[in-house]
Amino acid sequence: MLSFVIKHSLVFMFVAAIAGFLMPQYSLSFFPFLPYVLFSLMVLTLLSMKPSALLRMLVKPLVWQYACYHSFGLMALCIGASLLLGATDELVLAIGAVAATGSLFATPAIIRVLGFDVLMAMAMTIASTLLLPIAIYLLLCVTHSDGMALDIQSYCLRLVIFIFGPMLLSFLLHRFVRPEKVSRFLLTVSPYTVLLVFAFPFGLIGEFRLMWDRSPMLAYQYLAIATMLCGCFFISGFFLYRVKGVELAFVAAVASGNRNVLLTYTIAGSLLGPAFLPLAGAIQAPTYLLPVMAKWLAKKVK
């Protein structure tokens, strides 16, 4: 059964989002546990990579050029488009926060299923995650004109725990635990890490379902916005890097389309405004549908 789930994991990620929408009480109940799942997934993902190879990939200018496009370029583009279209201040803040968000730590696993460069996907994920605090800080400084203050101490503590914590823990394990023990551990738990990924679409979509229950038309608008955001991220990433080859184009497209909105909410919380969680919930279905479409497109383009 587990092998079947792993084989069709891209489809089951989308199914998990639908399941969370159909069972909002369970989705909302599971939401408080998601930061612990996120921390565990980040550690396991980093642990599966050789630190030396990952560092060599991280120092490449291409990776940081991508991260700047991912975090700052798309944030500026989305905020500008939102203002031109007359979006509310709360929605502009939410859209900007989603656009500033780093890649999902599940991105390397998705790229592995597609058969592309996992190490590059991991480097792009880490680089965009490291730029996330700067992007969110700039966003909050620009948009919180009503005098709302950013609690720097709390913000930095969350950064240390949820961004640098997994990286440090992974480094220490690689440094002080024998490689064969790490390999045996990963061999044992790696089949189950895909189950951790399913937790995010299931647990994050609950707030969107509450909006849908209160105002279906508003929920449809949020879903349309979320779909356009995912489409914009994916398509722009693909064509921006298409000149460097089909493989890099797909890696950039998937990394750009997958957004770790839970991490953004974990480190910034209520400062992101009331529109962020419903939008983060609405983005789950298109986010996890994109890899399925990418797999189909990859077969056509190759």
Side-chain angles (χ1 to χ4, degrees):
M1 180 62 182
L2 182 59
S3 60
F4 177 81
V5 172
I6 294 172
K7 182 179 179 181
H8 301 283
S9 56
L10 296 183
V11 175
F12 278 107
M13 290 175 194
F14 178 72
V15 170
I18 302 301
F21 181 82
L22 295 176
M23 298 181 289
Q25 68 277 21
Y26 296 108
S27 175
L28 292 168
S29 298
F30 195 68
F31 178 77
F33 299 99
L34 287 180
Y36 304 105
V37 179
L38 173 64
F39 187 93
S40 301
L41 181 64
M42 290 173 72
V43 171
L44 290 172
T45 304
L46 289 167
L47 199 58
S48 65
M49 304 285 173
K50 290 184 177 180
S52 56
L54 188 56
L55 284 174
R56 284 196 297 270
M57 185 66 75
L58 269 172
V59 298
K60 291 186 176 181
L62 175 66
V63 172
W64 292 98
Q65 290 167 7
Y66 165 82
C68 289
Y69 141 78
H70 180 115
S71 299
F72 303 118
L74 288 175
M75 181 176 68
L77 176 65
C78 291
I79 290 176
S82 302
L83 291 172
L84 287 174
L85 292 173
T88 63
D89 292 343
E90 292 82 4
L91 189 54
V92 170
L93 175 58
I95 290 173
V98 169
T101 296
S103 295
L104 276 172
F105 264 71
T107 298
I110 295 171
I111 291 297
R112 182 179 287 110
V113 173
L114 295 178
F116 295 134
D117 190 347
V118 177
L119 200 60
M120 175 60 77
M122 188 72 252
M124 288 179 167
T125 298
I126 292 175
S128 62
T129 300
L130 289 174
L131 290 186
L132 168 64
I134 303 172
I136 291 296
Y137 182 78
L138 291 175
L139 175 68
L140 294 175
C141 288
V142 170
T143 57
H144 282 168
S145 56
D146 56 357
M148 182 182 289
L150 176 62
D151 186 343
I152 298 295
Q153 184 177 358
S154 175
Y155 185 72
C156 291
L157 180 61
R158 291 174 180 179
L159 291 181
V160 170
I161 293 173
F162 287 99
I163 292 183
F164 299 107
M167 295 179 183
L168 177 61
L169 181 56
S170 174
F171 171 79
L172 292 175
L173 287 171
H174 273 292
R175 179 68 177 80
F176 295 106
V177 180
R178 287 188 297 177
E180 56 269 23
K181 286 190 175 182
V182 174
S183 298
R184 282 201 301 269
F185 172 74
L186 290 174
L187 192 62
T188 303
V189 302
S190 58
Y192 302 97
T193 54
V194 70
L195 301 180
L196 296 179
V197 180
F198 296 159
F200 301 119
F202 180 81
L204 280 167
I205 205 168
E207 286 290 334
F208 174 69
R209 173 58 192 266
L210 291 182
M211 173 182 279
W212 189 83
D213 289 337
R214 292 191 303 265
S215 175
M217 287 306 299
L218 182 60
Y220 291 140
Q221 291 176 19
Y222 270 58
L223 181 60
I225 292 169
T227 303
M228 286 189 289
L229 286 175
C230 283
C232 172
F233 299 157
F234 185 91
I235 293 170
S236 64
F238 182 86
F239 284 105
L240 187 62
Y241 287 90
R242 179 66 180 85
V243 294
K244 298 183 181 295
V246 173
E247 179 170 348
L248 185 60
F250 272 109
V251 172
V254 173
S256 185
N258 293 336
R259 297 280 163 155
N260 196 349
V261 289
L262 175 64
L263 180 60
T264 301
Y265 182 77
T266 300
I267 66 173
S270 59
L271 290 173
L272 299 176
F276 181 77
L277 273 182
L279 184 60
I283 211 170
Q284 295 308 301
T287 291
Y288 290 98
L289 185 59
L290 274 180
V292 179
M293 296 177 62
K295 187 175 182 179
W296 176 80
L297 286 172
K299 293 178 180 178
K300 298 292 182 181
V301 174
K302 280 183 177 180

